[in-house]
Amino acid sequence: MSLAKEITRIVKGKIKFNEPLSKHTSLRIGGPADYWVEPKDLEDLRVILEFALDRHLPWKVLGEGTNILARDRGFRGLIISLRGDCFQKLEFNEEKVAAGAGVLLSKLTSEAGERGLGGLEFAVGIPGTVGGGVVTNAGAQSVSVGDVTSSVKVLNPSRGISLLKKEDLKFDYGETVPFGYRTCNLGKDEVVLEAEMEFKKEDKDEIANLMKEHSRKRKETQPLREASAGCIFKNPSHVSAGELIDKAGLKGRRVGDAQVSTKHANFIINRGGAKAEEVFSLMETVREEVLRKMGIRLEPEIEIIG
Ligand SMILES: Cc1cc2nc3c(=O)[nH]c(=O)nc-3n(C[C@H](O)[C@H](O)[C@H](O)COP(=O)(O)OP(=O)(O)OC[C@H]3O[C@@H](n4cnc5c(N)ncnc54)[C@H](O)[C@@H]3O)c2cc1C
């Protein structure tokens, strides 16, 4: 029996074959994934992960694809998306919340704000899911998801479910290269199922005002109407990558439909039909020019898959 037939037989949730990753990344770039699965429930997720392990089938969980550059050739293997209802849990209990991995960070942020729970205001405007936010320790204004996370429930295909408490979790905020940069110490084969976060009771209006202010700043400084993956390069110590790229005179530089944003130099935007190869080529130009003119080597922040 072909792998496709076997997957169809064992999975209860949605399955797609040769699914273009350009439909699932905020850069709108990426060739097809052989198999795309949206597990119906936890058991479905467990079954497909065990299958992938057994068949040595490469797999990857994708959140909203907002920190991803997917190659033009696509992904040879299985992409798992936790969009199903089972991963959308959002349960508030006094100053805590248990949030499913598939919940949008924006939804969690606004619901916490409406309840007068402060702590996540920084996340306004950070796209993506709770799962992606934990894995990338998403943050802004020197605060990040790790600061409010008290535990994370994960599923490992060979070890089952475990609950990682605050003391087991290590979030890196790394403002500097080569130290860890926006990471969490989860293994590559661990799937985040849910995270518990703790907030502080605060004034609703103050939270709303702070969120408005963060949102205003983002709109002012980031090309939010264009397709992008946020910041492309990590910030080297004590200087922002955007500032270096700007000073190197690279704002607006294009390769095909990939362009260094004229609004924020550390964003590469897709002007419509950009290919991953064009983004790579533009990234290489930026790195070479910044190294030549500023003597600083930039490292990618986005994750490349495929
Ligand atoms: C306009 C824009 C602005 C941005 N601003 C910021 C910002 O201010 N600060 C910031 O930190 N980031 C920012 N980002 C980057 C991005 O939004 C974050 O990194 C976000 O947390 C990624 O979440 P995601 O769900 O899209 O994850 P994805 O991009 O889909 O995946 C990221 C990683 O997480 C893994 N992953 C996702 N879900 C799970 C899961 N359930 N279990 C295990 N692994 C999982 C993936 O395998 C991948 O390795 C921005 C991006 C854009 C497009």
Side-chain angles (χ1 to χ4, degrees):
M1 202 189 296
S2 70
L3 276 182
K5 276 198 180 143
E6 282 193 75
I7 292 174
T8 312
R9 193 174 54 83
I10 62 168
V11 169
K12 291 179 282 174
K14 252 190 214 166
I15 307 166
K16 293 173 184 171
F17 302 109
N18 294 319
E19 178 66 0
L21 289 174
S22 55
K23 282 167 70 178
H24 304 284
T25 57
S26 55
L27 253 173
R28 305 277 166 257
I29 289 175
D34 291 340
Y35 314 104
W36 173 277
V37 168
E38 296 174 27
K40 189 163 189 286
D41 51 29
L42 184 56
E43 189 46 32
D44 219 14
L45 173 61
R46 207 196 299 261
V47 164
I48 190 65
L49 283 173
E50 278 170 12
F51 177 82
L53 192 71
D54 187 52
R55 300 305 168 91
H56 305 286
L57 185 64
W59 60 273
K60 174 116 191 117
V61 178
L62 204 64
E64 287 288 295
T66 62
N67 200 44
I68 299 284
L69 173 55
R71 289 187 194 274
D72 299 320
R73 63 175 179 242
F75 185 79
R76 299 290 71 80
L78 166 71
I79 295 284
I80 298 171
S81 163
L82 303 185
R83 285 187 183 157
D85 291 347
C86 172
F87 307 100
Q88 300 297 329
K89 167 178 169 181
L90 196 51
E91 270 176 26
F92 285 91
N93 183 3
E94 297 189 350
E95 293 176 15
K96 289 185 179 174
V97 67
V103 172
L104 292 180
L105 199 56
S106 57
K107 182 175 179 187
L108 171 58
T109 306
S110 66
E111 294 217 6
E114 279 161 24
R115 285 175 161 81
L117 297 173
L120 256 190
E121 297 88 335
F122 71 87
V124 159
I126 302 184
T129 59
V130 165
V134 168
V135 171
T136 64
N137 190 21
Q141 285 95 35
S142 310
V143 199
S144 51
V145 164
D147 293 323
V148 290
T149 301
S150 43
S151 68
V152 176
K153 198 191 272 181
V154 296
L155 173 63
N156 181 303
S158 30
R159 290 194 300 277
I161 293 182
S162 43
L163 185 71
L164 303 173
K165 302 237 175 83
K166 207 166 180 83
E167 55 271 26
D168 308 315
L169 294 164
K170 191 174 176 309
F171 289 99
D172 269 318
Y173 308 85
E175 296 300 322
T176 57
V177 175
F179 302 110
Y181 194 88
R182 292 212 175 285
T183 56
C184 170
N185 62 332
L186 293 175
K188 284 238 172 296
D189 50 359
E190 271 162 338
V191 179
V192 175
L193 299 176
E194 114 183 23
E196 187 190 70
M197 297 180 187
E198 272 184 33
F199 305 117
K200 274 189 242 126
K201 200 85 194 134
E202 276 166 25
D203 184 76
K204 251 194 208 179
D205 293 337
E206 272 179 31
I207 295 175
N209 287 339
L210 194 54
M211 296 210 291
K212 248 188 230 155
E213 182 54 18
H214 288 335
S215 192
R216 188 191 60 76
K217 272 194 197 142
R218 265 184 200 270
K219 276 187 201 137
E220 217 172 81
T221 56
Q222 298 181 358
L224 300 182
R225 293 214 176 128
E226 322 279 351
S228 81
C231 289
I232 291 282
F233 295 103
K234 298 173 185 177
N235 290 325
S237 51
H238 310 305
V239 58
S240 84
E243 208 178 306
L244 292 172
I245 300 166
D246 192 3
K247 282 194 178 143
L250 292 160
K251 267 187 170 172
R253 180 68 69 92
R254 267 176 90 157
V255 175
D257 256 357
Q259 183 178 34
V260 175
S261 165
T262 49
K263 202 165 185 183
H264 189 312
N266 200 14
F267 276 53
I268 287 181
I269 59 165
N270 175 1
R271 293 178 54 107
K275 299 272 169 226
E277 275 314 314
E278 292 169 351
V279 178
F280 287 130
S281 161
L282 185 55
M283 284 171 71
E284 216 25 64
T285 302
V286 169
R287 293 185 76 198
E288 277 167 14
E289 297 261 311
V290 168
L291 182 61
R292 188 169 62 79
K293 293 180 179 159
M294 318 289 192
I296 295 177
R297 195 178 294 278
L298 293 175
E299 298 298 335
E301 168 161 9
I302 49 163
E303 186 178 338
I304 293 154
I305 67 169

